[in-house]
Amino acid sequence: MKSLVSATFALLATVSGVTMALAEYPERPVSIIEPWPPGDVDDQLLRVIAEVFTQETGVPAKVVNRPGGFGLEGAASVLSSPADGYTIGSFLIDIPTSYPILGIAPYAREDMEVIGLNMNFPFMLAARKDAPYNNLAELAAYAKDNPVSFGHFGFETIPAQQTFEAARQLGFSFSTETGYEVTDCTTLSNGDADVINTTVALVLACKDDVKAIAAYTEAPLSVFPDGPLLRDQISGPTFTLWSGIFVPKGTPQEAKDKLAAIIEKAMQSDQAKQIAETTGAEIYWQPAAEAQARIDADFEAVKALFAKMKQ
């Protein structure tokens, strides 16, 4: 009898082990963390990814907005989660570059792995349509005799530092500068700031009352085609503000591969193409190896940009 019981337990253990080995990712719902409030381009794309994920796997995926600390709170929540593929995050360029460089991140670069990069933000320096300047040179001339307030997504963010670098090169200073979780139509219309770092998606509602005096992109913004490129107005490197999908280090390769295939399909969907057309975002898929090389190169260039803060 003892031999029979032992054999039975051994058989059950073997069957259980086989069952676990055959279990495929995902077995339960996946959370996609967005470290910013709802509404911007990356948030819209994450909802497309969640929809395609559910269609492809039959397992729900949901977008969870966790704003705070200019993206730090959401990023930290992802990187402190188990490395099992069930919590993933959408990280802007600052999260793996400028925040660790400045020592303000509660994580290290080595704590994350990139699944791939999927978009470039249609980012710009915007002003009211009736502002007496149309480019950075005109802004500089105006600011030398008049106060100009600047609203941005945080002093530590790359767009803000690129804007400060432009001011340094053109010989002017902003009268005030303030970081916001969101800069949009009301930031300008309420007079909270005269110029703002923002994205096209956040000012679509007032696009007829707004103009771009610098586009932080590789090509002109489709929604604001007359907005001059930042790179054509200052010297030195400028940065495309990419965003991508990241997971905690040690996430199983099976999960990473499945996520990559699903996200690539989502970026090729009609919904993603419509978002690109509406917002001017550059939507694509750059897989992990190429994405990591790009991140490493940007890390070194961003380090040089932020070194100027101390000069």
Side-chain angles (χ1 to χ4, degrees), residues 127-135 138-139 141-142 146 211 213:
R128 290 184 294 273
K129 185 63 89 48
D130 60 0
Y133 34 80
N134 298 294
N135 54 50
E138 293 178 3
L139 171 63
Y142 179 83
N146 301 274
K211 59 185 173 184
I213 60 176

Side-chain angles (χ1 to χ4, degrees), residues 35-36 68-81 90-113 156-158 242 246-249 295 299:
W36 303 96
F70 305 108
L72 281 171
E73 183 176 326
S77 72
V78 173
L79 299 178
S80 62
S81 298
S90 175
F91 292 175
L92 182 65
I93 181 175
D94 294 287
I95 288 173
T97 61
S98 63
Y99 293 168
I101 288 168
L102 293 173
I104 62 173
Y107 53 79
R109 291 182 70 208
E110 296 75 19
D111 294 337
M112 66 185 77
E113 296 181 32
E156 300 85 0
T157 60
I158 292 170
W242 48 254
F246 290 75
V247 292
K249 182 180 179 180
I295 294 167
F299 182 87

Side-chain angles (χ1 to χ4, degrees), residues 227-249:
L229 297 175
L230 175 67
R231 69 180 185 184
D232 293 336
Q233 301 186 73
I234 64 172
S235 61
T238 57
F239 299 91
T240 301
L241 303 170
W242 48 254
S243 185
I245 306 301
F246 290 75
V247 292
K249 182 180 179 180

Side-chain angles (χ1 to χ4, degrees), residues 97-216:
T97 61
S98 63
Y99 293 168
I101 288 168
L102 293 173
I104 62 173
Y107 53 79
R109 291 182 70 208
E110 296 75 19
D111 294 337
M112 66 185 77
E113 296 181 32
V114 64
I115 300 297
L117 303 183
N118 66 312
M119 65 160 290
N120 296 335
F121 275 91
F123 220 91
M124 62 181 180
L125 185 66
R128 290 184 294 273
K129 185 63 89 48
D130 60 0
Y133 34 80
N134 298 294
N135 54 50
L136 290 175
E138 293 178 3
L139 171 63
Y142 179 83
K144 289 174 182 177
D145 298 315
N146 301 274
V148 176
S149 55
F150 171 39
H152 50 77
F153 287 101
F155 183 81
E156 300 85 0
T157 60
I158 292 170
Q161 285 303 314
Q162 288 194 106
T163 307
F164 291 128
E165 172 62 11
R168 282 192 290 267
Q169 290 189 21
L170 295 170
F172 75 95
S173 299
F174 294 105
S175 56
T176 62
E177 55 89 6
T178 307
Y180 300 90
E181 287 288 347
V182 174
T183 54
D184 54 19
C185 295
T186 57
T187 314
L188 289 175
S189 63
N190 289 346
D192 295 332
D194 297 308
V195 295
I196 57 173
N197 280 154
T198 192
T199 70
V200 169
L202 295 178
V203 293
L204 276 177
C206 59
K207 67 177 183 177
D208 293 335
D209 300 317
V210 171
K211 59 185 173 184
I213 60 176
Y216 298 47

Side-chain angles (χ1 to χ4, degrees), residues 25-26 48-57 88 114-118 245 247 252-269 272 284-288:
Y25 170 87
V48 175
I49 292 171
E51 181 179 340
V52 173
F53 185 96
T54 302
Q55 292 171 351
E56 291 291 307
T57 67
I88 67 178
V114 64
I115 300 297
L117 303 183
N118 66 312
I245 306 301
V247 292
Q253 192 63 45
E254 175 198 4
K256 293 188 290 186
D257 290 344
K258 184 161 286 188
L259 285 167
I262 289 171
I263 299 165
E264 182 176 12
K265 183 173 183 178
M267 294 305 98
Q268 297 170 350
S269 68
Y284 53 90
W285 182 244
Q286 187 172 41

